[in-house]
Amino acid sequence: MTHKDPKQYQRDTHRAADPSGGALTTDQGVTVDHTDDSLTVGERGPTLMEDFHFREKLTHFDHERIPERVVHARGSAAYGYFEPYRSCAEFTRAAFLQDPDVRTPVFVRFSTVQGPRGSADTVRDVRGFATKFYTSEGNYDLVGNNFPVFFIQDGIKFPDFVHAVKPEPHNEVPTGASAHDTLWDFVSLQPETLHTIFWLMSDRAIPRSFRMMQGFGVHTFRFVTAEGRATLVKFHWTPKLGVHSLVWDEAQEIQGRDPDYHRKDLWEAIASGAYPEYELGVQLVPEEDEFAFDFDLLDPTKIIPEEQVPVRPIGRMVLNRNPDNFFAETEQVAFHTANVVPGIDFTDDPLLQARNFSYLDTQLIRLGGPNFSQLPVNQPVDAVRTNQRDGHGQHAIHTGTNYTPNSLGGGCPAVGGGDPSAFRHLRTHLEGQKLRKRSASFEDHYTQPALFWRSMSGWEQRHMVDAFRFELGKCDSRQVRARTVDQLAHVDHELATAVADGLGIAAPDRVDGLPDPRPSPALSLENLRGDGSIATRKVALLVGPGIAADDCTAVRETLEAGGAVVEELGPAFGTVTDADGKPHPVDKALSTVAPVLYDAVVLPGGAPDDEPARRFVRDVYRHGKTVAALGGAASVAASLGLPESAAGVTAAAAPDEEFLSALTADLTHHRHWDRPPVPA
Ligand code: HDD
């Protein structure tokens, strides 16, 4: 088995000199004797131009920032590996999809779309899910999102869409949010956005963690075999831990309590050895079946329902290493949809075609010139031999000739005419008139939003109605609100009426001939629960003076054995005195955390019964999360009015097996929606 990681070896060769034990130097390697005061004439005099250390230090600092990404500016990333389950030679010659014993290094960057680099993680937004595979035949970038569809059909509309969703131009408001007039104005006038808008109004747009969301290539791509046979393909990433979301109220509070919530969650999981894992699946459609669907496979606003074309698992990806330097790696990574390897090719999807232009273009402004692929994070692990030369940031010392054909360089680098590993674009026959016209096969904008809506469970639909009401309620323009409700009425009358009701608008007229698709159960979060483990779930144990230490130990041991993260929260850092008079350690002070940062709360016997503790338990319950109480604390829960029989609430005298397995099962369930509301 070849499990050496060539990307990690390559990174080592780029690491800056280890500062430990060495002296501070200038960029020129000259040792510096003093860095706290500038060189001046007398103690109070002016600074001298000859202070080269001062000038170099300030100049470098002044140039530290580069333009942030125009979209997906806020991101977090990790290294890892991908390994196929078996050879996919039947469908593709891609080298990294052939041998289950070969691990291909990857770098994955997750992101939000709308907000700037410093915006909060838990906003309602699409999440980017971009993977760079450092394959033995060059870099392959699968630049996807956590939704399988996109807002527009043709890339020429991308600037319009992004201008509409970004903060409004006059006052740069709102940050990291789609709840404003310009976005909904655009949506109400451009119904092709609706399907993706439905995903955006669903719980998919507020993931619990990057480790608990799906990823999709969105477009239909092509796999190509060694014989040149093509198969249409859609890519799906599915997290092992299942797909889980936050509650909107909770997501908003986390924006203030811990704006780095997702970034820290990813980092801490990897640092603790709980490596995030995703399965790669493909939907395969033979070329001859391209027109067998009632939508166009080239239309990126459509999914292929999994009930129609099942997802075949082909491999798994594990993220097992945090980057060493955020700027050098997470910020400077440059993805590009046109980074493909032999065995993977494009289709004529007009959004994909536009992306194949845009990503290279954007890196030129963002990374300052054409040599960004020499940055360590972007470097392929196989040898690079080009005739491209010079330019800003050229790091390589090229030798030999720089043109083809040549005889003076022995004809090198050779152009791989006969080389079986060379990339060859798939031969396709095309003819047509030059025109600007959307294909009639792209016209249906309402059936798939209806498909999505109908596939949601009751609680998912309730959350969507609330989301539409919230977002449109934030729009000042009455006509924008009314026009959007009108669009919803073309999808589902009940939904449109419920949204209208929340906005104080008259219910829309019934639209004739509404779409009537069959639901796709694969779309509901109810059916995406993952492996059922409680790994990495965060559980708060509320402790205080007189705590039953044995209860804490029993809960802790059971949950930690399942991989959950348990934190004991007390009145202050340090220790509290337990029921036996012994010191009991506290992990965190309650005042430094918040209930929204935990998946469950457990009250051991003797748990505090004060207002902060009661507020904590009430909030955990209100957000549908697990509550468990032991010994005397069970009466605390009861006194809060939390019904013992409510889903996800467990109380017992002692931490016996029945209690511990009920607690574990409740945690596995993630959220408990069918509960009586929180008592006043
Ligand atoms: Fe894009 C970044 C995903 C349509 C133009 N896009 C970007 C990133 C992701 C996506 C994940 C961040 C990559 C990173 O972490 O560095 N974009 C998508 C998906 C799309 C999509 C899944 C639809 C299927 N994008 C799209 C279109 C265009 C762009 C139609 C332009 C025609 N996207 C860009 C960009 C960005 C970008 C401006 C900004 C930063 C970057 O590329 O590197 O070029």
Side-chain angles (χ1 to χ4, degrees):
M1 295 222 280
T2 35
H3 283 174
K4 284 184 293 184
D5 188 327
K7 190 65 195 173
Q8 298 312 322
Y9 288 132
Q10 190 186 54
R11 286 174 79 220
D12 288 343
T13 66
H14 287 287
R15 250 173 253 284
D18 180 0
S20 53
L24 183 73
T25 73
T26 65
D27 279 346
Q28 309 307 317
V30 175
T31 299
V32 170
D33 72 330
H34 194 114
T35 193
D36 296 334
D37 298 286
S38 351
L39 186 68
T40 53
V41 180
E43 281 177 16
R44 300 179 62 248
T47 305
L48 288 172
M49 276 288 278
E50 77 175 65
D51 188 351
F52 56 85
H53 173 51
F54 161 84
R55 278 191 290 125
E56 182 191 82
K57 186 172 173 180
L58 266 285
T59 304
H60 198 283
F61 171 76
D62 292 342
H63 293 256
E64 270 178 18
R65 290 290 172 272
I66 60 171
E68 68 173 29
R69 290 166 173 80
V70 59
V71 283
H72 297 266
R74 167 94 186 157
S76 308
Y79 288 98
Y81 62 85
F82 172 82
E83 60 192 8
Y85 293 144
R86 63 194 82 81
S87 169
C88 299
E90 193 188 339
F91 305 109
T92 174
R93 55 178 287 207
F96 75 105
L97 294 174
Q98 303 306 320
D99 185 347
D101 285 338
V102 174
R103 286 183 173 176
T104 297
V106 297
F107 187 73
V108 178
R109 184 172 180 273
F110 301 106
S111 47
T112 52
V113 177
Q114 198 261 17
R117 253 186 77 172
S119 53
D121 279 340
T122 59
V123 295
R124 179 177 294 283
D125 201 350
V126 186
R127 297 300 185 286
F129 190 138
T131 307
K132 193 179 280 294
F133 297 82
Y134 303 97
T135 88
S136 60
E137 293 186 337
N139 287 351
Y140 169 52
D141 292 355
L142 182 55
V143 196
N145 280 340
N146 73 330
F147 300 177
V149 282
F150 200 66
F151 296 95
I152 46 167
Q153 295 173 320
D154 186 326
I156 199 169
K157 296 297 298 168
F158 192 66
D160 297 306
F161 166 69
V162 174
H163 287 170
V165 72
K166 278 276 180 179
E168 305 214 355
H170 58 299
N171 59 2
E172 186 90 348
V173 171
T175 297
S178 48
H180 59 113
D181 285 82
T182 54
L183 185 260
W184 290 96
D185 185 30
F186 183 80
V187 166
S188 65
L189 297 168
Q190 192 82 32
E192 74 198 56
T193 54
L194 278 180
H195 189 194
T196 309
I197 285 292
F198 271 55
W199 282 77
L200 188 67
M201 293 303 106
S202 80
D203 288 1
R204 303 281 193 137
I206 39 173
R208 158 67 178 80
S209 158
F210 292 136
R211 305 173 295 113
M212 298 172 195
M213 63 182 204
Q214 282 176 299
F216 300 92
V218 180
H219 312 281
T220 306
F221 293 90
R222 280 192 171 97
F223 268 164
V224 184
T225 63
E227 298 74 38
R229 186 173 51 81
T231 307
L232 298 165
V233 57
K234 277 191 184 275
F235 294 103
H236 296 236
W237 290 113
T238 304
K240 193 172 156 203
L241 295 174
V243 183
H244 302 291
S245 294
L246 298 167
V247 180
W248 179 228
D249 178 66
E250 194 186 15
Q252 290 180 88
E253 199 185 316
I254 298 174
Q255 287 174 33
R257 295 275 187 185
D258 187 358
D260 305 307
Y261 184 70
H262 286 153
R263 179 174 287 178
K264 271 162 54 182
D265 168 275
L266 178 69
W267 185 279
E268 285 170 5
I270 294 174
S272 73
Y275 300 142
E277 191 174 325
Y278 306 81
E279 185 165 73
L280 182 64
V282 289
Q283 285 179 298
L284 298 172
V285 177
E287 289 259 332
E288 53 276 22
D289 293 345
E290 181 178 355
F291 301 106
F293 301 87
D294 53 8
F295 54 88
D296 196 326
L297 289 183
L298 299 187
D299 175 355
T301 67
K302 305 293 187 293
I303 57 159
I304 310 179
E306 291 182 31
E307 293 72 16
Q308 227 168 323
V309 178
V311 178
R312 297 185 193 207
I314 61 168
R316 68 179 194 125
M317 175 168 78
V318 176
L319 301 182
N320 61 1
R321 190 184 288 258
N322 284 314
D324 287 344
N325 184 292
F326 185 90
F327 180 83
E329 305 182 279
T330 308
E331 192 59 18
Q332 293 201 113
V333 66
F335 291 95
H336 186 11
T337 47
N339 288 351
V340 288
V341 287
I344 298 181
D345 212 323
F346 314 112
T347 57
D348 298 334
D349 172 342
L351 198 76
L352 176 58
Q353 299 277 321
R355 294 180 75 192
N356 284 346
F357 163 75
S358 190
Y359 288 74
L360 174 57
D361 189 41
T362 204
Q363 311 311 351
L364 295 175
I365 177 87
R366 202 168 69 78
L367 299 170
N371 291 311
F372 59 85
S373 56
Q374 294 180 16
L375 293 167
V377 69
N378 295 324
Q379 254 184 16
V381 293
D382 61 329
V384 173
R385 295 178 205 91
T386 77
N387 286 329
Q388 274 90 261
R389 292 291 186 273
D390 310 344
H392 282 293
Q394 176 58 263
H395 278 60
I397 304 172
H398 292 100
T399 54
T401 54
N402 54 4
Y403 56 93
T404 300
N406 70 67
S407 68
L408 300 179
C412 294
V415 179
D419 184 345
S421 68
F423 184 94
R424 279 183 203 84
H425 291 271
L426 187 72
R427 244 172 215 247
T428 44
H429 177 79
L430 294 172
E431 65 178 32
Q433 288 178 340
K434 198 192 293 178
L435 43 75
R436 286 188 193 274
K437 189 172 183 304
R438 198 73 57 89
S439 168
S441 56
F442 280 39
E443 262 170 19
D444 173 8
H445 305 313
Y446 300 116
T447 305
Q448 290 219 345
L451 164 76
F452 184 77
W453 169 250
R454 285 178 180 203
S455 307
M456 296 295 100
S457 58
W459 57 268
E460 287 171 297
Q461 288 194 340
R462 286 200 297 279
H463 292 175
M464 284 181 69
V465 170
D466 289 346
F468 272 115
R469 287 174 172 182
F470 178 94
E471 296 268 316
L472 291 167
K474 291 270 187 183
C475 294
D476 294 332
S477 162
R478 274 173 64 92
Q479 54 155 351
V480 164
R481 293 197 295 262
R483 216 168 37 223
T484 309
V485 168
D486 214 51
Q487 285 294 342
L488 298 182
H490 286 77
V491 177
D492 187 278
H493 186 72
E494 260 174 53
L495 164 66
T497 306
V499 174
D501 197 34
L503 296 172
I505 299 178
D509 292 338
R510 259 178 205 284
V511 173
D512 289 337
L514 281 182
D516 188 21
R518 205 163 344 130
S520 164
L523 294 175
S524 168
L525 296 182
E526 283 286 355
N527 302 316
L528 287 164
R529 292 185 174 280
D531 66 2
S533 88
I534 60 167
T536 71
R537 289 320 176 103
K538 272 188 107 169
V539 181
L541 265 172
L542 300 195
V543 300
I547 198 75
D550 290 351
D551 286 1
C552 297
T553 309
V555 169
R556 206 169 183 136
E557 281 178 358
T558 302
L559 296 182
E560 285 180 350
V565 178
V566 179
E567 285 179 357
E568 296 194 32
L569 312 180
F573 280 109
T575 57
V576 289
T577 307
D578 71 15
D580 298 328
K582 293 195 194 125
H584 183 88
V586 168
D587 294 317
K588 282 183 181 161
L590 191 65
S591 58
T592 64
V593 293
V596 287
L597 307 178
Y598 294 87
D599 294 298
V601 61
V602 180
L603 301 170
D609 184 13
D610 50 18
E611 189 41 36
R614 286 169 159 256
R615 209 177 318 127
F616 197 102
V617 176
R618 226 181 273 129
D619 273 1
V620 169
Y621 179 88
R622 197 161 59 82
H623 292 136
K625 299 185 281 201
T626 295
V627 178
L630 282 164
S635 63
V636 175
S639 72
L640 278 171
L642 304 187
E644 240 184 77
S645 56
V649 178
T650 307
D656 54 19
E657 226 177 288
E658 193 184 340
F659 170 86
L660 293 170
S661 59
L663 169 60
T664 308
D666 284 347
L667 254 185
T668 304
H669 205 73
H670 182 60
R671 292 301 164 96
H672 308 277
W673 303 115
D674 295 318
R675 273 178 168 176
V678 65

